[in-house]
Amino acid sequence: MSSKTLIVIGNGMVGHHFLEQFADSPAAAGFSTMVFGEEKQLAYDRVHLSEYFSGSTHADLAMGTADWYQQKGIDLRLNEPVTTIDRSNRTVTTGKGAYHYDELVLATGSYPFVPPIDGKDNDNCFVYRTLEDLDRIRACADGAKTGVVVGGGLLGLEAANALKSLGLNAHVVEFAPRLMPVQLDEDGGALLRRKIEDLGVQVHTEKATTAIVEGEDCRLRMNFSDDSHLETDLIVFSAGIRPQDALARSCELELGERGGIVINNQCATSDPHIHAIGECALWNQQIFGLVAPGYTMARTLSAALNGEKDAAFTGADMSTKLKLLGVDVGSIGDAHARTPGARNIRFNDEKAGHYRRMVISEDGRKLLGAILVGDNSHYDTLLQYALNGIELPENPEALILPEGQGGAPTLGLDALPEAASICSCHNVTKGDICCAIDAGATDLGAVKAETKASTGCGGCAALLKNVVDSELEKRGVEVSRDICEHFPYSRQDLFNIVRVNGIRTFRTLIRQHGKGHGCDICKPTVASILATCWNEHILATDHVPLQDTNDTFMANMQKNGTYSIVPRIPGGEITPDKLIVLGQVAKEYDLYTKITGGQRVDLFGATLSQLPEIWEKLIAAGFETGHAYGKSLRTVKSCVGSTWCRYGVQDSVGMAIYLENRYKGLRSPHKIKMAVSGCTRECAEAQSKDIGVIATENGWNLYVCGNGGMRPRHADLFATDLSDEELIRTIDRVLMFYVRTADRLQRTSVWMENMEGGLDYLKQVVLEDSLGIGAELEQHMADIVGTYQCEWKSAVEDPEKRKRFREFVNAPGQKDPVQQWTTERLQRRPVLASGEA
């Protein structure tokens, strides 16, 4: 039985990481561990807090489960804040009692700084720190038009993006002369401001708020020291953080002059039995406001409690790589050239919107710092030069110049020393990755599982993959880019082979360019390529053996062997007569009905033999296949737009219907979702889609390569104020370029992230026609649009295709005796198997 008690105050990211490190260490067996959290929820990922507004839940952001704490023997007490610490008796007190400790860890984090402004306590004023804060902001935004963020730093710009995503006209008010004054210089801040204002967020710098009063046209009015003012419906304060050191102050631990709990290299405070980690801790007169240094402190403390004499926190790199409102921003090391003798090299392309600054040592041999705005493709290389003291090339400017202007290739991975930091969140070095590979990790997933690299903020993902691939290849492990063992080609290669050689069957392709008989990977991939290139029916004789179950039967198989049917409802617009037909069909066949998130109606529970009958009834009423079973366009979501909404500025429903009818037959590497919003309030959630369209007074803004799902990604602004014709032409090119060049089962978001040059390169190809293929892409799309056929209709009208839907060849119409049903909420559903919830 444990003889000592360890208490951790704070269940945030750093506190949780400490527990992960300590719980599996030898010292843990000698302690009973208790954790007190102020919030009601388990520790969650604050780095990705803004994703809460994009549909992520606490469960998505949670860093652990209640079961994990129980399995590790940790007594977790949420919603129980500690009020006092008695150092003499070694106890902490909460509203529920007093608890003894032998060792105490303060992981209390920080709190948002709110400037001392008259009116700051108004009910429409908020901070941006917790999920509860975000819930209150969302509730206040309902019915509001304008929102202001006070603070133009990292969190402030994230908060502005959140307000914009809630449909508000967003403003940023910053006291300093530029945005992100800690990370950026004057030129970098000016470019960031231009890019953010181009996205519709208004920026006000050098503004000191003197009072917040009742507004005339909005709920509030902000009065500034220069006698100007700004009206808004809500205000979010994001003007920096302060260490949460109230408990330490009350028990008279040593604090810094400006706050923060003073710690030594082992994270011990002035009381040797009390320790502090994360944003509440002050080391060498520094507060570290990033998660990676907090994680390093957590690991250091765990090691120290385990008696490791060499355990020491010696500072942390504060370099950051971010995407703020879709704009790349990077800051490395001594970005402001404060080192004596430091020299600067700058590259500023105002036309392309790229700014790069290198700070080098006086002798020109070492990189001291860097600033990047608009393009972070150089970040990983510059960071490794700075962190590892790698000597700069003879012409260091080559590291930031474009290739066409004397730019050099990126730093070779072999030049990185073993101690090179690859993942700062989890302190994973190149050497750690090599050890994991030598111990048996043979792919990227295995390396991640072993080292936890790239499982924090994710900023090192690209560099990690490159290192893993390089190290595997050096050990003689072939890093294959082939689609499978049957074809020595990628999907893009196969697409080009099919298109150029006019190949129309899998049999011809594998005979001429592959080997064997194919598999479940290459067959559906080739089927998709053939469909894209030649647009033949999915049940064409040569295609049938290639399809998976859903494509084969043009419906989604469910867990009990029945199928769901999703007719297309373009733009979500449907007549009462069609709604009645859906109800009649569902009632006749006793189908479970569910309205989907894409503004369609899903009919569940049809048997295989019923599919053609149901399709016939739907087709007679004017419905078509919704392609819910295929890797193709699923839906184009829309709001009601200018037809009904008092805020709408364009006919979003009309445009959504046009887009859905245009692209409904397109087969692609992965499913595609679109949305059209009639104004910037964004009710259709267009910025979370592969193709998102938002109406403006002057036309349409186009967003590309966003997605929801397991790894949500905000779409990037691609073009603004497009006419109808320009919008269609641009989407045609984007989609066809994606279809031609993406990997198997690759979402548009991952496709663009992995594309060399990323968004800027895609703009060059599509908007500037840099490859000279724009007309070809448009013609290919026109061919697909012109040869569209409803796959359901073609199947029910062809007797040979219809034969495929017989369940019992010798007993037509007989029901499957294995299927068991029950009734729930007045609808039929499958009987759950034993043990299912």
Side-chain angles (χ1 to χ4, degrees):
M1 185 173 179
S2 303
S3 58
K4 296 186 291 184
T5 300
L6 171 72
I7 289 181
V8 179
I9 302 178
N11 187 231
M13 294 181 72
V14 173
H16 180 77
H17 190 69
F18 166 74
L19 292 171
E20 287 183 319
Q21 304 301 307
F22 185 73
D24 293 326
S25 70
F31 285 92
S32 295
T33 304
M34 300 179 70
V35 185
F36 293 91
E38 192 172 42
E39 293 185 63
K40 299 176 182 178
Q41 299 100 337
L42 287 166
Y44 53 87
D45 184 355
R46 294 186 198 274
V47 173
H48 297 97
L49 186 65
S50 293
E51 293 176 8
Y52 189 61
F53 283 134
S54 302
S56 292
T57 64
H58 170 258
D60 298 323
L61 299 173
M63 304 185 69
T65 64
D67 288 343
W68 180 84
Y69 287 88
Q70 189 173 8
Q71 291 166 6
K72 299 299 181 182
I74 299 171
D75 184 1
L76 174 64
R77 295 171 178 260
L78 297 176
N79 198 27
E80 188 175 348
V82 173
T83 55
T84 58
I85 299 172
D86 184 341
R87 290 169 53 196
S88 299
N89 296 309
R90 291 196 198 169
T91 60
V92 300
T93 303
T94 73
K96 297 182 179 180
Y99 306 88
H100 171 76
Y101 68 84
D102 292 282
E103 300 292 335
L104 178 64
V105 178
L106 300 178
T108 49
S110 61
Y111 64 90
F113 170 66
V114 178
I117 302 169
D118 289 341
K120 63 181 175 61
D121 297 323
N122 187 284
D123 289 342
N124 296 304
C125 294
F126 308 91
V127 294
Y128 196 83
R129 188 66 175 169
T130 68
L131 291 177
E132 289 187 354
D133 292 333
L134 269 59
D135 283 333
R136 288 191 284 267
I137 291 170
R138 179 154 46 194
C140 185
D142 187 21
K145 294 181 181 179
T146 304
V148 171
V149 176
V150 177
L154 301 179
L155 284 176
L157 295 178
E158 275 208 31
N161 191 40
L163 295 187
K164 191 170 179 289
S165 72
L166 291 172
L168 301 180
N169 295 319
H171 297 251
V172 174
V173 172
E174 168 59 46
F175 178 75
R178 62 181 181 275
L179 295 173
M180 292 182 65
V182 175
Q183 290 82 13
L184 302 183
D185 59 11
E186 184 176 347
D187 289 337
L191 175 58
L192 179 61
R193 176 174 184 157
R194 287 199 301 274
K195 283 181 169 287
I196 286 177
E197 288 183 331
D198 286 343
L199 294 172
V201 176
Q202 297 185 50
V203 177
H204 313 263
T205 53
E206 297 185 273
K207 293 290 185 182
T209 308
T210 56
I212 298 169
V213 299
E214 184 176 347
E216 295 180 6
D217 299 319
C218 298
R219 299 170 186 163
L220 304 172
R221 168 173 160 155
M222 303 173 68
N223 292 330
F224 301 128
S225 59
D226 61 1
D227 293 331
S228 63
H229 67 271
L230 175 63
E231 293 217 350
T232 180
D233 293 305
L234 66 88
I235 297 172
V236 176
F237 288 103
S238 186
I241 59 171
R242 297 292 184 268
Q244 188 65 271
D245 55 13
L247 281 174
R249 189 180 303 277
S250 66
C251 70
E252 298 183 346
L253 289 175
E254 183 183 352
L255 303 179
E257 185 177 342
R258 295 187 177 182
I261 307 166
V262 175
I263 61 170
N264 62 16
N265 289 1
Q266 287 70 45
C267 299
T269 70
S270 54
D271 184 324
H273 296 288
I274 301 179
H275 318 269
I277 54 177
E279 293 174 342
C280 66
L282 181 72
W283 177 87
N284 196 28
Q285 299 301 312
Q286 287 180 274
I287 295 288
F288 296 89
L290 299 176
V291 69
Y295 279 5
T296 303
M297 290 182 191
R299 291 190 292 269
T300 299
L301 177 57
S302 177
L305 292 174
N306 275 273
E308 297 181 24
K309 295 181 180 179
D310 295 335
F313 177 78
T314 56
D317 174 55
M318 294 295 285
S319 301
T320 53
K321 178 172 68 170
L322 309 136
K323 188 179 284 288
L324 299 165
L325 287 94
V327 180
D328 280 348
V329 177
S331 179
I332 295 172
D334 181 15
H336 293 288
R338 295 191 174 97
T339 304
R343 296 155 52 197
N344 295 279
I345 301 174
R346 291 181 173 89
F347 171 79
N348 194 356
D349 185 342
E350 293 186 358
K351 181 177 182 294
H354 295 163
Y355 174 71
R356 303 169 197 139
R357 173 185 177 182
M358 293 172 58
V359 180
I360 63 176
S361 59
E362 189 171 11
D363 60 10
R365 294 183 177 181
K366 302 297 179 185
L367 180 68
L368 304 178
I371 292 173
L372 302 168
V373 178
D375 175 19
N376 268 340
S377 61
H378 301 257
Y379 181 89
D380 288 339
T381 294
L382 295 175
L383 180 65
Q384 295 305 326
Y385 270 102
L387 289 183
N388 299 294
I390 299 172
E391 187 163 330
L392 290 168
E394 184 177 351
N395 299 312
E397 65 275 8
L399 295 176
I400 59 173
L401 287 174
E403 288 189 25
Q405 300 179 34
T410 57
L411 177 69
L413 297 174
D414 289 341
L416 295 180
E418 294 289 294
S421 175
I422 305 301
C423 173
S424 59
C425 287
H426 291 282
N427 195 32
V428 181
T429 65
K430 179 183 175 183
D432 295 329
I433 293 169
C434 293
C435 288
I437 292 173
D438 291 337
T442 58
D443 58 30
L444 181 62
V447 171
K448 284 185 175 183
E450 177 65 25
T451 65
K452 290 194 173 183
S454 194
T455 61
C457 72
C460 63
L463 178 60
L464 174 67
K465 183 181 186 306
N466 291 337
V467 172
V468 170
D469 287 352
S470 173
E471 293 302 320
L472 286 172
E473 288 174 341
K474 284 199 298 188
R475 287 158 176 75
V477 179
E478 184 177 357
V479 180
S480 176
R481 274 79 176 176
D482 298 346
I483 192 168
C484 70
E485 64 182 290
H486 302 106
F487 288 100
Y489 302 104
S490 67
R491 181 195 174 277
Q492 182 178 350
D493 294 331
L494 288 178
F495 188 99
N496 292 332
I497 290 171
V498 168
R499 185 77 177 174
V500 171
N501 294 288
I503 295 174
R504 290 180 175 266
T505 69
F506 180 84
R507 187 180 307 166
T508 302
L509 181 65
I510 200 166
R511 183 177 67 247
Q512 295 181 359
H513 300 279
K515 62 181 180 180
H517 302 287
C519 63
D520 291 339
I521 293 176
C522 62
K523 285 182 177 180
T525 303
V526 172
S528 175
I529 291 172
L530 293 172
T532 302
C533 288
W534 317 122
N535 216 21
E536 294 177 348
H537 192 273
I538 194 170
L539 296 188
T541 303
D542 292 307
H543 293 187
V544 171
L546 311 180
Q547 309 293 351
D548 61 17
T549 301
N550 289 351
D551 272 322
T552 298
F553 298 115
M554 296 178 288
N556 290 339
M557 177 179 276
Q558 303 303 313
K559 62 192 296 183
N560 69 336
T562 62
Y563 294 83
S564 69
I565 298 170
V566 186
R568 189 170 296 285
I569 302 177
E573 183 182 80
I574 188 168
T575 65
D577 287 340
K578 284 189 174 183
L579 279 173
I580 290 170
V581 169
L582 289 177
Q584 289 172 337
V585 169
K587 191 170 184 179
E588 179 179 350
Y589 291 90
D590 199 11
L591 304 177
Y592 172 91
T593 58
K594 172 78 170 63
I595 296 175
T596 73
Q599 299 178 332
R600 305 199 289 193
V601 179
D602 206 340
L603 309 173
F604 290 82
T607 64
L608 183 63
S609 61
Q610 290 172 338
L611 292 177
E613 301 171 14
I614 295 172
W615 294 340
E616 282 182 321
K617 296 178 186 296
L618 295 176
I619 291 166
F623 288 105
E624 295 178 313
T625 171
H627 287 95
Y629 47 85
K631 297 296 183 285
S632 54
L633 175 67
R634 295 292 176 86
T635 63
V636 182
K637 189 174 182 180
S638 73
C639 62
V640 296
S642 58
T643 306
W644 291 96
C645 180
R646 56 199 174 105
Y647 299 110
V649 294
Q650 300 284 355
D651 179 12
S652 57
V653 179
M655 178 55 73
I657 292 172
Y658 182 86
L659 293 178
E660 188 156 350
N661 285 327
R662 181 171 182 80
Y663 303 117
K664 60 188 176 185
L666 178 66
R667 291 281 172 161
S668 53
H670 209 291
K671 64 185 176 185
I672 298 172
K673 295 185 178 182
M674 302 184 185
V676 183
S677 286
C679 72
T680 56
R681 296 176 74 85
E682 249 284 70
C683 293
E685 303 170 324
Q687 293 175 76
S688 63
K689 301 294 188 289
D690 299 277
I691 298 292
V693 180
I694 301 177
T696 71
E697 295 286 352
N698 301 314
W700 306 96
N701 284 354
L702 174 62
Y703 290 78
V704 300
C705 301
N707 65 259
M710 294 178 64
R711 192 171 72 89
R713 184 189 188 277
H714 199 279
D716 289 306
L717 181 64
F718 194 71
T720 59
D721 294 333
L722 300 174
S723 66
D724 291 5
E725 181 180 313
E726 290 170 335
L727 177 67
I728 302 306
R729 182 172 64 247
T730 305
I731 296 175
D732 279 357
R733 292 184 177 188
V734 170
L735 289 179
M736 287 313 307
F737 192 58
Y738 162 63
V739 166
R740 291 184 173 203
T741 62
D743 287 336
R744 166 184 170 269
L745 299 179
Q746 190 174 53
R747 294 296 299 264
T748 57
S749 57
V750 181
W751 166 67
M752 192 184 72
E753 289 172 353
N754 292 349
M755 185 187 300
E756 186 174 351
L759 180 65
D760 290 332
Y761 176 72
L762 186 59
K763 285 182 177 180
Q764 291 169 11
V765 172
V766 172
L767 301 178
E768 302 170 18
D769 198 15
S770 62
L771 301 181
I773 61 173
E776 181 183 344
L777 296 176
E778 292 171 35
Q779 184 58 52
H780 192 173
M781 182 62 77
D783 293 342
I784 290 174
V785 173
T787 55
Y788 169 78
Q789 58 182 308
C790 172
E791 293 170 352
W792 287 351
K793 188 172 187 293
S794 297
V796 298
E797 292 177 349
D798 186 331
E800 290 302 314
K801 291 184 175 68
R802 191 157 183 159
K803 287 180 182 179
R804 299 189 55 79
F805 300 91
R806 293 178 297 179
E807 288 180 284
F808 302 96
V809 176
N810 298 322
Q814 181 173 317
K815 294 183 178 180
D816 187 347
V818 176
Q819 293 166 355
Q820 300 295 316
W821 302 92
T822 187
T823 300
E824 184 177 29
R825 294 185 294 276
L826 303 180
Q827 294 206 78
R828 188 178 67 153
R829 70 156 175 80
V831 172
L832 299 179
S834 176
E836 290 185 23

